[in-house]
Amino acid sequence: MAGCIVTSRPAAISRAKLVGTYEMTFPAGHSSLRLDANGRFTQEIEIGREKVSATGTWSHSTEEWFADMTLHDCLLPMDGFGRLNEGWRTPFSGAVVMPITRRFVVGGPIEIVSDEEYPYIKRE
């Protein structure tokens, strides 16, 4: 059992395992985030009938038990307090650091926590 717990530490999630598609659903809409192996990302947000997309770069860092994802020039659909960000259509000029987690202690889908209530959840 201890082996399962060790492998589910966010710091044990490799960069290769982070590559893929993530989705976030929140009351006003939906967002998808695709992380490519070359360090680039594509992000789309759809609210109502309006769709906005952005591209940028991503990186991954680990330390002891923790792991973070850094997105450069991403969109921020939520304000970090569970509410819609009024500037969601404009990419944030700079770096946004988000923790990487798993929902369950022993595995579960990878989550990128851009907002505590509405994380990006890995789908593929």
Side-chain angles (χ1 to χ4, degrees), residues 58-122:
W58 68 277
S59 60
H60 166 245
S61 64
T62 61
E63 188 174 319
E64 306 252 339
W65 281 84
F66 303 102
D68 291 318
M69 162 83 53
T70 301
L71 297 178
H72 297 271
D73 304 320
C74 67
L75 299 166
L76 298 172
M78 305 304 289
D79 68 359
F81 297 98
R83 297 181 304 257
L84 183 64
N85 176 14
E86 290 185 23
W88 67 272
R89 295 171 191 86
T90 305
F92 179 76
S93 179
V96 176
V97 179
M98 297 177 272
I100 298 167
T101 64
R102 288 202 187 259
R103 179 145 317 222
F104 306 106
V105 173
V106 185
I110 296 171
E111 296 184 352
I112 300 171
V113 184
S114 64
D115 183 273
E116 287 187 26
E117 290 187 50
Y118 309 107
Y120 280 100
I121 301 171
K122 188 169 187 184

